[in-house]
Amino acid sequence: MATEAGPNAVKMLKAIRSAAAEAGCAITVSETGDSVSEEAAVIRALRADRVDGVLLVPSAGDDAIVNGLVRMGVPTVLVDRMAGRNDVDQVGGENIQAMCTLVRHLADRRHRKIALISGEPGLTTSDERTLGYRLGLGRSGLRWNASLVECGQSTPAGAAAAAGRLLDSWPSPTALVVASEAMMIGVQYEVHRRGIRIGSELAVVGYGDMPWASTVESPLTTMAQPIPEIGRKAVHLLLTRIADPERRPETVRLAPRFLHRASCGC
């Protein structure tokens, strides 16, 4: 398995190890650090070890790597981050309707300046969550405004900077939608640094649920990905692919769970 570091990595890995053990399989775990070159090196090493299949959390811009795995007939499942292709098995959380639900929840609370901190460009998850944000605006009768969207680069530091730019604008947004767990860390830091009270002065909602999300001063309203289910399904898809290499590739999207807490101000 080639993976990236992140808030969900440990939970995902635990589920994958458990499912593999139940099936009598061993796994080798390698961290790619979201680097395409490191990902390529890891895949080469795994291939040299003659692994039976690969579970891959894809990095932005790694199409050539996935193309190579597919071309060589290596049983492969893309995990967590979905790709816009139909020639490989993949499993992850549903993004578009989940983000739409978050935006509509804020709009139903009479927020009209709802901003988005989007993820790293080039990732299908980033594009889908941005699309969900736009869909939510449209279904709420609100116009798309490019000045209300800032890219947080899928990192805490990038999200802190993005939140700062949005909060410095005039008039500043009354609500923030944060497109990943890692970015929520940076948003929390920047908002608290400015002395802004989440929930009462600024609504904040996000995609993904961190262990600390329910314990902060204003517990976070989020869409929680079904991480254990994604991990188990990934193992199931890989074993099915190994047993039946000619099977038609399958894409599985598992619905996140809406967790309503205080950070949205209601």
Side-chain angles (χ1 to χ4, degrees):
M1 177 183 180
T3 184
E4 97 288 3
N8 285 323
V10 173
K11 191 186 300 184
M12 178 79 73
L13 182 56
K14 181 179 179 181
I16 288 172
R17 285 190 187 278
S18 175
E22 289 175 6
C25 300
I27 67 169
T28 299
V29 179
S30 299
E31 185 179 313
T32 63
D34 264 348
S35 163
V36 174
S37 60
E38 182 64 22
E39 187 175 300
V42 165
I43 295 298
R44 285 195 297 270
L46 293 174
R47 290 290 294 144
D49 288 341
R50 297 182 180 274
V51 295
D52 294 313
V54 174
L55 299 175
L56 175 65
V57 180
S59 304
D62 71 349
D63 284 349
I65 295 171
V66 179
N67 289 341
L69 289 168
V70 172
R71 187 173 59 253
M72 291 184 292
V74 179
T76 301
V77 178
L78 305 186
V79 185
D80 190 25
R81 294 173 177 171
M82 313 292 278
R85 53 195 304 157
N86 59 9
D87 59 349
V88 64
D89 293 307
Q90 48 187 333
V91 56
E94 195 284 324
N95 295 300
I96 298 174
Q97 294 300 327
M99 288 292 281
C100 176
T101 296
L102 288 174
V103 173
R104 296 191 70 181
H105 177 74
L106 293 170
D108 286 346
R109 274 67 189 171
R110 302 193 181 281
H111 288 283
R112 293 296 176 264
K113 289 186 67 65
I114 303 171
L116 171 69
I117 298 180
S118 61
E120 180 182 2
L123 292 175
T124 304
T125 49
S126 297
D127 295 340
E128 289 182 347
R129 291 172 194 174
T130 299
L131 177 59
Y133 165 78
R134 296 189 68 157
L135 182 64
L137 292 178
R139 289 183 175 176
S140 301
L142 302 176
R143 290 184 178 181
W144 159 264
N145 183 345
S147 68
L148 288 175
V149 179
E150 289 285 349
C151 180
Q153 300 296 334
S154 296
T155 67
R165 292 191 295 271
L166 287 167
L167 294 172
D168 284 338
S169 64
W170 183 260
S172 61
T174 61
L176 297 180
V177 181
V178 186
S180 78
E181 299 94 333
M183 293 195 295
M184 187 64 82
I185 298 171
V187 171
Q188 283 272 317
Y189 169 81
E190 181 62 21
V191 171
H192 284 298
R193 187 185 71 81
R194 291 169 177 254
I196 298 172
R197 291 176 295 178
I198 292 177
S200 58
E201 296 178 321
L202 177 70
V204 177
V205 300
Y207 187 100
D209 193 42
M210 302 65 65
W212 48 266
S214 62
T215 62
V216 291
E217 183 176 345
S218 294
L220 294 172
T221 294
T222 65
M223 280 289 183
Q225 290 194 83
I227 296 299
E229 291 83 354
I230 291 173
R232 289 192 291 269
K233 185 63 177 179
V235 173
H236 171 76
L237 283 176
L238 185 59
L239 294 176
T240 303
R241 172 62 54 194
I242 292 170
D244 183 8
E246 301 305 317
R247 182 181 61 84
R248 189 171 184 174
E250 183 177 354
T251 294
V252 178
R253 296 178 182 271
L254 301 176
R257 182 164 53 99
F258 181 62
L259 299 178
H260 185 198
R261 302 186 181 117
S263 68
C264 55
C266 59

